[in-house]
Amino acid sequence: MQPKKRILSGMRPTGPLHLGNLHGALLNWVDMQETYDCFFFIADWHALTSDYEDPRAIGGYINEMMIDWLSTGLDPEKSTLFVQSHIKTHAELFLLLSMITPVPWLERNPTYKDQIVQLSNKDLSTFGFLGYPVLQAADIIIYKANGVPVGVDQVPHVEITREIARRFNFLYGDVFPEPEAILTQTSKILGTDRRKMSKSYHNAIYLSDAPDVIATKAAGMITDPQRARRTDPGNPDVCNVFEFHKVYTDRETVDRINAECRNARIGCVECKQIMAQNLIQALEPIRRQRKYYEDRPDLVADIIASGGRKATTVSQQTMAEVRAAMKI
Ligand code: SF4
């Protein structure tokens, strides 16, 4: 039997996980466990590239993130789940790769330019922020990952990793495979205000939200902006609540709402209540699992430690090859 191809992906622990994370990455990761040898890591050093001024919250989010992952279905028996900063070899490879990475490759990174503008409230003129694609490359190739699941907008990141791996192999001999970008569907779930769901926009519904919190957030969602009164016909095609219905509500009810909205036979208050109930129900298994892991902090710590041991073993094997290739 062919060995499974290895994939690697990570998340920055900068806040609790929300529906955007669930549909944009996590559910996909859960599926991929059946097909690939998966390495998933909590990228706490990457969180520092933008949150270095106040890193206190990052530690707390690490544990919460692992609980969210486990509650959603990531299985430590199938996947290697670990915390980046526990595996010090990432830092060693980052340092070595930074010696061979031309600065213009980093300066032309579209995310770098974009984030400098978007996060203008933070001083991102740091070496760490400019160099984060090198750290990302180290994270990926230290496990000799064959693929990285990404949305279309993240393909340039994988391209830089491939270029760095290629340059290393050219200079010192073949050590690293060039990882492929595995394109995944990006989330259609927007925030409650119809912008991208994000902690910083205060428009997120979190996996850890209690049912009453979800109901309140759903009640405040933006609908069809043209529908001012209950008696006005609405247009589900431009309504964010209707997008949620398409994910969480059964087909028959979706069709009914679609028709009734257009001739004002259903009001937005009722429509949102139906959606909220379905969303609360859909998240119930995650909520139950979350409680299970919250009640067992030692088990969560053991899972993190065990994933860390496996990641350490694999990464140390690669680093032995790297040192031999570089003759250092
Ligand atoms: S009835 Fe539902 S689908 Fe129609 S505008 Fe209101 S919330 Fe949106």
Side-chain angles (χ1 to χ4, degrees):
M1 208 170 68
Q2 286 272 57
K4 285 180 174 176
K5 286 194 167 178
R6 181 170 291 163
I7 61 155
L8 176 132
S9 198
M11 280 187 194
R12 288 157 35 106
T14 51
L17 294 189
H18 51 62
L19 295 180
N21 304 122
L22 181 70
H23 293 281
L26 260 181
L27 291 177
N28 190 37
W29 290 6
V30 171
D31 284 346
M32 288 181 132
Q33 295 184 115
E34 308 307 325
T35 319
Y36 295 98
D37 174 18
C38 296
F39 279 59
F40 296 125
F41 71 102
I42 296 177
D44 52 344
W45 280 338
H46 280 287
L48 280 177
T49 57
S50 56
D51 291 12
Y52 63 88
E53 282 184 34
D54 186 7
R56 284 170 299 181
I58 294 174
Y61 289 139
I62 289 175
N63 215 47
E64 287 299 299
M65 180 168 275
M66 186 56 77
I67 290 175
D68 276 333
W69 283 9
L70 296 167
S71 311
T72 307
L74 287 188
D75 180 348
E77 297 293 323
K78 294 178 182 168
S79 297
T80 306
L81 311 175
F82 63 99
V83 178
Q84 181 188 32
S85 67
H86 296 181
I87 319 296
K88 307 300 182 197
T89 39
H90 286 229
E92 183 184 356
L93 186 57
F94 167 59
L95 180 142
L96 296 176
L97 296 180
S98 70
M99 303 297 168
I100 66 166
T101 305
V103 173
W105 288 7
L106 304 174
E107 286 173 334
R108 72 170 188 234
N109 165 18
T111 313
Y112 173 70
K113 295 180 200 159
D114 185 54
Q115 295 273 292
I116 291 268
V117 175
Q118 296 260 343
L119 303 176
S120 55
N121 57 330
K122 296 184 179 180
D123 178 6
L124 297 180
S125 56
T126 60
F127 169 68
F129 189 68
L130 177 68
Y132 85 85
V134 185
L135 179 57
Q136 217 164 36
D139 298 332
I140 297 166
I141 65 179
I142 205 166
Y143 299 103
K144 298 194 175 183
N146 308 102
V148 185
V150 287
V152 179
D153 54 332
Q154 295 158 322
V155 171
H157 294 171
V158 183
E159 197 44 48
I160 293 185
T161 297
R162 289 166 61 84
E163 285 175 324
I164 293 173
R166 207 176 302 144
R167 187 160 164 83
F168 183 98
N169 291 344
F170 171 75
L171 289 170
Y172 310 115
D174 274 349
V175 172
F176 298 114
E178 288 179 32
E180 305 280 342
I182 302 173
L183 278 180
T184 56
Q185 288 286 345
T186 42
S187 170
K188 293 220 174 71
I189 292 286
L190 294 173
T192 51
D193 59 358
R194 219 160 176 263
R195 292 186 291 170
K196 183 177 183 235
M197 191 175 281
S198 162
K199 183 186 74 155
S200 36
Y201 293 157
H202 305 289
N203 65 0
I205 297 176
Y206 296 105
L207 304 187
S208 50
D209 277 346
D212 59 326
V213 174
I214 294 176
T216 304
K217 288 182 177 177
M221 280 174 75
I222 292 184
T223 64
D224 170 5
Q226 302 297 323
R227 193 178 186 197
R229 287 176 297 269
R230 167 70 179 81
T231 47
D232 294 340
N235 180 2
D237 298 336
V238 298
C239 176
N240 194 24
V241 177
F242 193 66
E243 288 302 317
F244 275 64
H245 272 301
K246 286 189 205 163
V247 178
Y248 295 108
T249 302
D250 65 88
R251 187 72 253 166
E252 200 180 319
T253 312
V254 170
D255 290 344
R256 177 174 66 79
I257 289 171
N258 191 11
E260 291 185 354
C261 171
R262 290 176 197 277
N263 53 26
R265 279 189 291 133
I266 184 169
C268 293
V269 173
E270 184 193 346
C271 185
K272 288 173 177 177
Q273 283 167 348
I274 297 169
M275 191 281 288
Q277 282 317 309
N278 293 336
L279 173 56
I280 289 165
Q281 204 177 344
L283 293 181
E284 180 54 32
I286 297 179
R287 208 168 11 256
R288 234 188 352 259
Q289 282 295 97
R290 174 164 248 290
K291 173 90 176 72
Y292 174 87
Y293 287 108
E294 277 172 350
D295 291 345
R296 292 165 179 78
D298 290 349
L299 173 60
V300 176
D302 281 352
I303 289 170
I304 292 175
S306 151
R309 280 193 294 276
K310 182 164 172 211
T312 299
T313 304
V314 176
S315 69
Q316 282 181 345
Q317 282 164 358
T318 307
M319 283 315 297
E321 289 178 50
V322 167
R323 294 183 208 111
M326 295 182 77
K327 303 192 174 26
I328 53 170

